[in-house]
Amino acid sequence: MAFPVTRLRRLRRTGELRNLVRETRLTPDAFVYPMFVCPGEGVRKEVRSMPGVFNLSVDEAVREAREVHSLGVPAVILFGLPNKKDEVATGAWAENGIVQQTARAMKREVPGLILMGDVCLCEYMSHGHCGIVKAAGQSLGAAVAAPPAATAEYEIVNDATLELLARTSVSLTKAGIDIIAPSDMMDGRVGAIRRALDEAGFINTPILSYAAKFASGFYGPFREAADSTPQFGDRRSYQMDSANLREAMREIEADIEEGADMIMVKPAMPYLDVIAAARERFDLPLAAYQVSGEYAMIEAAARNNWIDRERVMMESLVSIRRAGASIILTYYAKAAAKLLG
Ligand code: PBG
């Protein structure tokens, strides 16, 4: 039936009608709030390129977690800024690592909150890469004993890194992390982590794999927040090329075969087609990460009064849901939850 019998504007006439026929709804229980924890006490240091996002000491992070939970946001994902960095990412897997301390405190103080642990080594490595760095011609033993020379040809060693990721995952779980979320993009890490968790008796700890994580310029502000910028080179030999959708499907498939319980696409808005394709093809819970650069762009424009912050924030989140993600990691989790009331 065509016009004039059909008039699509009939259902857009009032706010009530538009609400009634809305296809995609946002609720705070879809959100995960990323947090950056650092040593010290009473520390609340705003990230320059992410206004409204802070490096928080454990006590402040617990306060913030309580607020997040009271707003109806069910989960946080934790990133750590360690005291000290080295070549084997000791701060990532140390029993008293900064995320481990935070997890113990949050479990005690905010027991209903789901704690996700981002598993990656870049924040804890002297060189800022997500895996062990080995210079050309160097032995693995030498590589983990001293910082690599900045100019030398190097590789990010895949298989030896898996052991550190597995160790980190077990350590985080022991400290109270509920969901392990590897973001390093080494091949085989989901399988290595699953085996290590099972061997340690953590058969019920789910893995949310950053399965399709693209090498992206949108991570810039995060690297300032987490102090994790690579000191030389870039992440293109392990994170995905932004042009590749079919390869993203292979990455996801591989992680599912290795035992991932949930999958993630990251970043979100520049990769909505990847989210939609993943939703179509796989039946696992699907998450998307609205990353630091996506947040920073909206904030920068809003601060100039070039766009309406709330409107663009909600529109960006709805678009991620509409593309097919059921879980959204976003720095707007608190603000959006407040607005959704
Ligand atoms: C760690 C990691 C990164 C992000 C999440 N985990 C940065 C990176 O890969 O360089 C990015 C999150 C964001 O930009 O908000 N590897």
Side-chain angles (χ1 to χ4, degrees):
M1 221 57 94
F3 177 84
V5 175
T6 299
R7 289 179 182 271
L8 289 167
R9 288 183 57 191
R10 272 185 207 123
L11 294 175
R12 289 179 209 148
R13 208 166 38 81
T14 68
E16 289 77 5
L17 283 169
R18 291 193 292 273
N19 277 341
L20 183 71
V21 300
R22 183 156 299 128
E23 297 174 27
T24 307
R25 292 176 200 279
L26 278 177
T27 48
D29 53 19
F31 299 147
V32 179
Y33 186 59
M35 297 181 69
F36 302 97
V37 288
C38 64
E41 230 188 278
V43 180
R44 218 182 143 73
K45 184 173 160 262
E46 194 165 33
V47 180
R48 193 187 47 90
S49 54
M50 299 177 75
V53 175
F54 297 82
N55 288 170
L56 302 170
S57 51
V58 177
D59 53 326
E60 292 287 332
V62 168
R63 281 226 315 243
E64 180 121 341
R66 210 174 276 127
E67 190 200 344
V68 170
H69 191 49
S70 72
L71 287 167
V73 174
V76 295
I77 183 159
L78 301 177
F79 299 92
L81 290 95
N83 255 330
K84 225 173 83 316
K85 301 175 190 262
D86 60 22
E87 288 68 53
V88 287
T90 305
W93 44 265
E95 195 187 330
N96 218 23
I98 187 70
V99 173
Q100 285 83 348
Q101 290 177 40
T102 309
R104 280 191 287 267
M106 284 185 180
K107 260 285 152 266
R108 194 172 56 234
E109 304 291 329
V110 201
L113 185 68
I114 298 170
L115 305 181
M116 296 186 179
D118 178 270
V119 170
C120 195
L121 306 178
C122 56
E123 300 114 278
Y124 308 92
M125 288 288 207
S126 58
H127 42 68
H129 277 290
C130 303
I132 294 171
V133 172
K134 187 167 90 62
Q138 200 181 26
S139 72
L140 189 61
V144 297
T151 50
E153 262 188 64
Y154 66 93
E155 72 170 290
I156 311 297
V157 185
N158 193 89
D159 298 11
T161 298
L162 300 183
E163 203 270 316
L164 297 179
L165 295 167
R167 202 187 295 176
T168 302
S169 303
V170 170
S171 167
L172 291 174
T173 308
K174 273 187 187 150
I177 291 291
D178 300 298
I179 296 176
I180 291 296
S183 69
D184 53 283
M185 288 301 279
M186 297 300 125
D187 287 327
R189 90 263 210 223
V190 171
I193 290 171
R194 184 71 271 160
R195 278 190 297 281
L197 288 173
D198 288 353
E199 268 166 31
F202 298 122
I203 56 168
N204 288 320
T205 301
I207 297 175
L208 163 59
S209 160
Y210 287 69
K213 177 174 175 179
F214 291 88
S216 171
F218 287 92
Y219 304 151
F222 171 95
R223 292 179 188 171
E224 186 193 336
D227 186 26
S228 64
T229 311
Q231 298 303 300
F232 48 86
D234 56 42
R235 304 211 200 288
R236 291 176 203 273
S237 79
Y238 41 107
Q239 298 180 350
M240 285 191 55
D241 189 300
S242 56
N244 293 358
L245 170 68
R246 291 190 292 271
E247 188 188 350
M249 299 300 110
R250 293 189 69 198
E251 277 285 1
I252 295 172
E253 213 162 73
D255 285 6
I256 295 174
E257 271 169 26
E258 288 174 33
D261 300 280
M262 300 185 271
I263 52 179
M264 193 196 303
V265 173
K266 173 187 173 188
M269 220 157 62
Y271 298 89
L272 292 177
D273 58 327
V274 181
I275 297 173
R279 176 69 302 156
E280 181 75 15
R281 187 138 151 194
F282 304 106
D283 290 328
L284 283 74
L286 175 61
Y289 199 142
Q290 182 180 49
V291 301
S292 57
E294 298 177 66
Y295 173 84
M297 284 198 307
I298 296 173
E299 280 303 299
R303 267 153 219 263
N304 273 303
N305 288 319
W306 292 344
I307 57 171
D308 176 335
R309 170 187 290 105
E310 289 185 351
R311 194 167 165 185
V312 173
M313 164 176 89
M314 294 317 256
E315 190 175 334
S316 66
L317 293 170
V318 161
S319 73
I320 296 166
R321 278 285 274 215
R322 196 190 59 236
S326 47
I327 303 163
I328 306 177
L329 290 78
T330 172
Y331 302 97
Y332 280 127
K334 283 199 306 176
K338 276 182 201 159
L339 214 65
L340 292 166

